[in-house]
Amino acid sequence: MSQDVLFDFERSDRIGLSEALYCGSKSPAQVEAAVADLAHRGVRVLLTRLDEVKYAQLGDSVRALLDYDSFSRTAVLGSLPMPSTPPRIAIVTAGTSDLATAGEAARTLMFYSESAEIMADLGVAGLWRLLERRAQLVMFPVIIAIAGMEGAFFSVLGGLVGNPIIAVPTSTGYGVTSGGHTALHAALGSCAPGILVVNIDNGFGAACAALRILWNGARPTSVN
Amino acid sequence: MSQDVLFDFERSDRIGLSEALYCGSKSPAQVEAAVADLAHRGVRVLLTRLDEVKYAQLGDSVRALLDYDSFSRTAVLGSLPMPSTPPRIAIVTAGTSDLATAGEAARTLMFYSESAEIMADLGVAGLWRLLERRAQLVMFPVIIAIAGMEGAFFSVLGGLVGNPIIAVPTSTGYGVTSGGHTALHAALGSCAPGILVVNIDNGFGAACAALRILWNGARPTSVN
Amino acid sequence: MSQDVLFDFERSDRIGLSEALYCGSKSPAQVEAAVADLAHRGVRVLLTRLDEVKYAQLGDSVRALLDYDSFSRTAVLGSLPMPSTPPRIAIVTAGTSDLATAGEAARTLMFYSESAEIMADLGVAGLWRLLERRAQLVMFPVIIAIAGMEGAFFSVLGGLVGNPIIAVPTSTGYGVTSGGHTALHAALGSCAPGILVVNIDNGFGAACAALRILWNGARPTSVN
Amino acid sequence: MSQDVLFDFERSDRIGLSEALYCGSKSPAQVEAAVADLAHRGVRVLLTRLDEVKYAQLGDSVRALLDYDSFSRTAVLGSLPMPSTPPRIAIVTAGTSDLATAGEAARTLMFYSESAEIMADLGVAGLWRLLERRAQLVMFPVIIAIAGMEGAFFSVLGGLVGNPIIAVPTSTGYGVTSGGHTALHAALGSCAPGILVVNIDNGFGAACAALRILWNGARPTSVN
Amino acid sequence: MSQDVLFDFERSDRIGLSEALYCGSKSPAQVEAAVADLAHRGVRVLLTRLDEVKYAQLGDSVRALLDYDSFSRTAVLGSLPMPSTPPRIAIVTAGTSDLATAGEAARTLMFYSESAEIMADLGVAGLWRLLERRAQLVMFPVIIAIAGMEGAFFSVLGGLVGNPIIAVPTSTGYGVTSGGHTALHAALGSCAPGILVVNIDNGFGAACAALRILWNGARPTSVN
Amino acid sequence: MSQDVLFDFERSDRIGLSEALYCGSKSPAQVEAAVADLAHRGVRVLLTRLDEVKYAQLGDSVRALLDYDSFSRTAVLGSLPMPSTPPRIAIVTAGTSDLATAGEAARTLMFYSESAEIMADLGVAGLWRLLERRAQLVMFPVIIAIAGMEGAFFSVLGGLVGNPIIAVPTSTGYGVTSGGHTALHAALGSCAPGILVVNIDNGFGAACAALRILWNGARPTSVN
Amino acid sequence: MSQDVLFDFERSDRIGLSEALYCGSKSPAQVEAAVADLAHRGVRVLLTRLDEVKYAQLGDSVRALLDYDSFSRTAVLGSLPMPSTPPRIAIVTAGTSDLATAGEAARTLMFYSESAEIMADLGVAGLWRLLERRAQLVMFPVIIAIAGMEGAFFSVLGGLVGNPIIAVPTSTGYGVTSGGHTALHAALGSCAPGILVVNIDNGFGAACAALRILWNGARPTSVN
Amino acid sequence: MSQDVLFDFERSDRIGLSEALYCGSKSPAQVEAAVADLAHRGVRVLLTRLDEVKYAQLGDSVRALLDYDSFSRTAVLGSLPMPSTPPRIAIVTAGTSDLATAGEAARTLMFYSESAEIMADLGVAGLWRLLERRAQLVMFPVIIAIAGMEGAFFSVLGGLVGNPIIAVPTSTGYGVTSGGHTALHAALGSCAPGILVVNIDNGFGAACAALRILWNGARPTSVN
């Protein structure tokens, strides 16, 4: 049985965003075959959920093609463009544990020439940490907010600034907050109006949504 | 089959709190029989979850024995003692919708001679409302905090004051917050340390817990 | 116990969006008191989840103050501004059953001088209905997509256009799709990148999010 | 305690399908004993959910009896018949990650002399991939459709062709789509009429159902 | 806001099955408008989930257009064709409580000129009831099996006959079987191979799936 | 479509227990038809889950045939035998709210000539109530224990006596204990060894299980 | 902190069953300390959920004290009594995968001098396997039935024999049957009357319940 | 990307409790960086959820700074103060398996100069173990109660003493009690009034809550 990937090469033309290679449920052999095929065609592509164990199982020749970052579990096949100046997207996290997801979002934005400013550890148990950043935050056209546990972070932020806010609940926590569903539901049911939400731990999706907002449907021609 | 209630008359001696009559799953006939029996014995008792429809189905003679409050769905059989002065318990709510639960807590406290100060609508989407009350709140030996929806209220409050906080999640909300489980999980998984939690909509239980803390196991002799 | 609403009057200054009066879990008496108080202060306000039964229980004098729409269960206290021209927001629905939620979104936008174009019944079992609208849809800076049942609508739309898409899952359905959680999870887990999601049946929240994107944090001065 | 397998040898006579050996929750010793016993009796049998680790724990003599395929986690004891010509069943998948389940279905069909045509990566975010195959797909008496994540694939396919469609949700995904329940519910609650569904990751069951439809209760005599 | 239904008139050409009007989440006004519009166009249509209360709220002129059956909550706009002879589909139920769902399936089949034979009360606690029907059941090209509670019915039937079986779990039951999820999971996880499943209470979907199998993608020209 | 009930008349011969008529999901017309048919055949039968509303909808002639008890929602068609002397089964409940389920169990036992002794309100918050009954309880060959809320009752009882204990969790409660799942799980996961459990609110099933234990598979000939 | 076990030495006097040592959530050090202490006191004790890995981590001197069985994950400290003759308990399983749980039940019974007859692989997809055993099964005072997946086994058995039946759902399965909840709910919601249920995989509890029924509260003096 | 921790240094001033370092979802590198930074600043800090594997991955220099306890998975950076005399907090557990959580609570209290008295194995299946301790328990201003499985322990304790009780459900158990949700719900839905609850396995949170009660908002100056 052939295990070749049937890539959606025209997605970028349709919606500005090209297909990414989600490695979470692919075998190393499947990742290898896809990367080799895409490299052969000269296609730039972003790989997500490529953890260190799976990355180490790829052949040397394939690994040599990739710009890999273990912390965010992402890799890039092909060149990384110069980032836009200055950052138009703020990525704020409630805790240190949310930084891997922040990294996935930041790397996705970099793939599309957007840089982001990351501000970590602004959780609401220490409210001053977030209040001090308010003036700075309102300057960004889009804010990506990342939090696990009970997700109170989203509501406080949403009541402080009027910018578009993309909430990314994370699976950080244990007991009732294990798996991220409490943070997800807190984001969706927030008492602050107009919070937007993506799947648990989905830094990639948050970045794509931010690009949809920034580009407003039209991918800049400067992005190859 | 006899439907008499086998009351735990000695509970008050054991733990300071007397048994309450939970009417939520009792038929009007069961409530009537219990009230008549307890009145005959001269026992003071608090009735909870007695909604207007069920109250209206009770006989006139039984209704005449009760001090009923439809908003909090509570009734008292027997005298109401004079409240303590000044209030030692603050009841704070995130929204107007949480006031019925606040009422149940306040009426329970009144049954035991404790008065409470209720502050409503302090939800975190309008953070100033809560910040302005901080100096006042830290004066109370116990704070009962009531919130539905995403329950972010508990975490912000818990990061602002060091008092004992009893969180009561409410079933206010719809979609993912319907039924109160998101608020419950937010309270349990709060990033603020040491938040204490009772069942959804359980104003009665929050008041009992507050009395346990205030009395520290010893019901004041002034409470009959 | 006072049941006055402690309104967040300064929310509009902070985030551009003023507080709305969520009537879903308020008693008619609470709604009446709030409307009377806000009318007295001359504050414009949007009421949501005010169903026909509760509306009918309000006093005549309060009802006279409200511009009520039973289909979307919304009411407006105060003047309705002239809508912007032409519509900048498309509201697309998978089925007729989703129109009440579409109405809530549209009325919320109207409250803020934004008009919307509603296109209904574009569900993917009849794919041509959506494909025919593609050229038209890409013109809108923001698309609000509303669907219940299995929520496949969101993924197909997200693969066709690159605009910002706000998905509103609805509780339309029965059996496994009852309550809207399947549509919610389908939106969050979509294979199309960058779909943004709000709570089930939350037309109000989708509209607020759309305004955050359109205004980018700065409410137009033309909106009173 | 004896751990012998009490095989349902007459199932094939009753319903045309013989019992398969589900190895998912059997110990290597149990698998070994069953294979040895069945080989001794000269019974052809299909083994499912035999992962590489468990296969490696089987004794050499038992492994020698099996035609093992690690990708689909299946093994065949006894001869494999010649496949029918041409394929009467199409197996279509939304993503590369669904191919292991496709393999389980295909191997099950091969055990019964049916061959299948596998078409992978037809997910709806790149709609053209599926639309291009429509003319080809309508030729097959049965279509097995395999998809994880949000399962929008089933609805789009069901609206395009009138053939019998057997949906196999897979556990591909993370966050809300983790475990396959969202894809399962999407298949069951599809807006396209008449989609048939089997358990998550159940390629074996899908193949058996396809054979029930093809044979219509009468196993061909050509199948030994 | 217009509430017209955008009907998928070409569905019948594509997949043989025409769009049905699901009334479960439509207001009476929406049903009325749709029926009037479709009657005006001369389109035959099946209405499902039209309960007695909603039917009674329709205007007299609309009701006069419909062939309504309260037990199955279905209505037909336009002529009912002569049924095929003899029945090709058996509908078997575990209990009397499952007959409303059986009715929905039968009426859907009648809409497409197919008649069905209904056999009720064959639940496995009285196993002889089902065993006695085995010889009769194997004659039908398709069997629709309907059961609630614990759904053991599906597994026993699936082990007795080799025909295609479409399992319809119903919401009959209480406690752990309330809502139909236990019966649904029992059907999906059956130890009998190749059981096919549709949504809870979905008699309509089961009928559509049966037609897909009978017609094999090609709607008979005899069906108008 | 015929709606006759296909009764399992031989069940009593097979297992000693005759089929009961579960009215919970049957229409009044279905109940009427079944009762009339069974009366015509001279069959004694127990009806369960026949609430007052449905009972009132039955025709006068059918109601005249039934010995109805609204509290336990049961009815008996045919004669009630004399009860055995003395009671061999104890039915103990944690609260007054559990008495309706106790009644269903007691009436089921009466149908089979067994009487039961009911002891109510023995909940563990007032532990003495249960401890005082210990000597009495150990005399009964079977104990049926009924409790809702958190179901701690089952564990305490199971640690006090060695008799067979049949736990019936009830749906009494609210918030996290709403619906009875907490009490059910508490019974199943009890730290006291050998507690047996039936479905939520299933007094009928508990009685049948008690009879299985008392009769040990052989229905006494004294039971007609 | 002392980690000694405070054993309930008098449980055997109270209820006939002595406390067992549940090793599932104890560290090897805790198991070791408890076994050493109990051996020192000369107490016979049953250890459950002691898997091979944890057993191997115990010290040699402790392991020497134990009669260990890896398949059932049980160990006995102290002498094993002679079994009763002949077996009074039948243990029947639907599949081979359920045999480990059967082993736990059998070893628990052996600890109390009861022997059991195990009959495996009687699952209902091959109905004849169970029907053939009916005459044999009705001879046993108690039947322990063990099944995973969809748990249809319990209902068929319950309709065939009138003996007391203790259902043990197992976690065998995948997708919707993963974890054993479907089998559990099937047992609890069975259409066969009077099935008794214990926790998932709880062979120990089933054996204890069987002993309660056999002994009827009075542990035989022959059991030390 | 910087992975520094933005510590809430002023939390101790605000609420008396300083921020703890939750290591559960942090990488070893993140823990190392945080400890080094805090040591450099001379800040005392408590580390929680630092399991042996992660601890072993820390560098030698960092490990040398920590007072580590593997059983409770806690570490202390900086000096441990002298404990208060005598203990003001009782920690009672239902089983030996709950001792790790008890250890986390005790170590947290030690960090704040409070000592605790731990009483283990008081589970209600052996009721005398708890009843014997009643007189002793009522002496403590706060009781932390820890139990898994069905959590009946909380209700019995709550009915025996009137002290403030902080219930910590644990994830001890399997089947329906796996993960701790049954114990959690039992604590929240207890029939004993005024039980307070924290998250599953949250010994740290219970200790913090106990300190809030003991200090009543004012951290003693004796605690550095």
Side-chain angles (χ1 to χ4, degrees), chain E residues 205-224:
Chain E
C208 289
L211 293 168
R212 284 177 181 260
I213 293 173
L214 284 181
W215 294 347
N216 197 12
R219 180 175 178 160
T221 51
S222 61
V223 180
N224 75 320

Side-chain angles (χ1 to χ4, degrees), chain D residues 135-210:
Chain D
Q136 188 180 356
L137 283 169
V138 295
M139 295 299 145
F140 289 89
V142 182
I143 299 172
I144 294 175
I146 307 181
M149 300 178 73
E150 91 289 41
F153 186 58
F154 306 122
S155 292
V156 173
L157 178 62
L160 285 179
V161 304
N163 313 49
I165 297 172
I166 299 170
V168 191
T170 63
S171 50
T172 304
Y174 62 92
V176 295
T177 60
S178 171
H181 286 86
T182 296
L184 171 65
H185 290 177
L188 289 164
S190 172
C191 58
I195 304 286
L196 292 161
V197 188
V198 297
N199 197 2
I200 296 163
D201 292 334
N202 193 4
F204 165 72
C208 289

Side-chain angles (χ1 to χ4, degrees), chain G residues 3-135:
Chain G
Q3 296 183 24
D4 284 357
V5 173
L6 179 58
F7 215 70
D8 182 13
F9 294 108
E10 300 157 28
R11 185 176 299 177
S12 169
D13 294 338
R14 277 199 323 277
I15 68 169
L17 299 160
S18 47
E19 186 170 354
L21 203 66
Y22 172 72
C23 305
S25 51
K26 291 191 178 65
S27 66
Q30 287 178 318
V31 174
E32 275 194 343
V35 170
D37 179 54
L38 294 166
H40 180 73
R41 297 168 187 262
V43 179
R44 284 182 66 234
V45 72
L46 176 71
L47 294 84
T48 62
R49 305 283 166 132
L50 180 60
D51 61 41
E52 280 186 280
V53 171
K54 195 173 286 181
Y55 175 72
Q57 291 174 313
L58 303 180
D60 287 349
S61 60
V62 164
R63 281 212 309 272
L65 297 168
L66 300 175
D67 172 344
Y68 179 63
D69 176 58
S70 68
F71 186 63
S72 63
R73 296 181 297 173
T74 57
V76 173
L77 171 69
S79 62
L80 262 183
M82 297 290 5
S84 66
T85 310
R88 297 193 288 174
I89 295 165
I91 301 179
V92 292
T93 82
T96 313
S97 311
D98 305 315
L99 279 172
T101 299
E104 188 184 82
R107 290 266 292 177
T108 302
L109 292 170
M110 285 170 61
F111 182 82
Y112 291 103
S113 302
E114 286 289 336
S115 64
E117 178 155 347
I118 299 183
M119 310 175 200
D121 270 326
L122 306 184
V124 299
L127 202 57
W128 60 271
R129 297 181 293 196
L130 183 56
L131 293 174
E132 281 183 359
R133 303 290 183 109
R134 185 178 181 276

Side-chain angles (χ1 to χ4, degrees), chain H residues 40-70:
Chain H
H40 180 72
R41 296 168 188 263
V43 179
R44 284 180 67 233
V45 72
L46 175 71
L47 293 84
T48 62
R49 304 285 164 129
L50 180 61
D51 61 41
E52 280 187 281
V53 171
K54 195 172 286 179
Y55 175 71
Q57 292 174 313
L58 302 181
D60 287 350
S61 59
V62 164
R63 283 214 306 274
L65 296 169
L66 300 175
D67 171 342
Y68 179 64
D69 175 59
S70 67

Side-chain angles (χ1 to χ4, degrees), chain C residues 63-122:
Chain C
R63 284 212 307 274
L65 296 168
L66 300 175
D67 172 343
Y68 179 64
D69 175 59
S70 67
F71 187 64
S72 63
R73 297 181 296 171
T74 56
V76 173
L77 170 68
S79 62
L80 264 182
M82 295 309 312
S84 65
T85 309
R88 296 193 289 174
I89 296 165
I91 301 179
V92 293
T93 84
T96 313
S97 311
D98 304 316
L99 280 172
T101 299
E104 188 183 82
R107 289 267 292 179
T108 302
L109 292 170
M110 284 169 62
F111 182 81
Y112 291 102
S113 302
E114 285 289 336
S115 63
E117 177 154 348
I118 299 183
M119 312 176 198
D121 271 325
L122 306 184

Side-chain angles (χ1 to χ4, degrees), chain B residues 201-219:
Chain B
D201 293 333
N202 192 5
F204 165 74
C208 290
L211 293 169
R212 283 177 182 260
I213 293 174
L214 284 181
W215 294 346
N216 196 12
R219 180 175 177 161

Side-chain angles (χ1 to χ4, degrees), chain A residues 123-127 131 149-153 155-156 158-160 174 176-177 181-182 184-193, chain B residues 123-127 131 149-153 155-156 158-160 174 176-177 181-182 184-193:
Chain A
V124 298
L127 201 58
L131 292 175
M149 299 178 75
E150 92 288 42
F153 186 58
S155 292
V156 173
L160 285 179
Y174 63 92
V176 295
T177 59
H181 287 86
T182 296
L184 171 65
H185 290 176
L188 289 164
S190 172
C191 58
Chain B
V124 299
L127 201 58
L131 293 174
M149 301 179 73
E150 92 288 41
F153 186 59
S155 292
V156 173
L160 286 179
Y174 63 91
V176 295
T177 59
H181 286 86
T182 296
L184 171 65
H185 290 176
L188 289 164
S190 173
C191 58

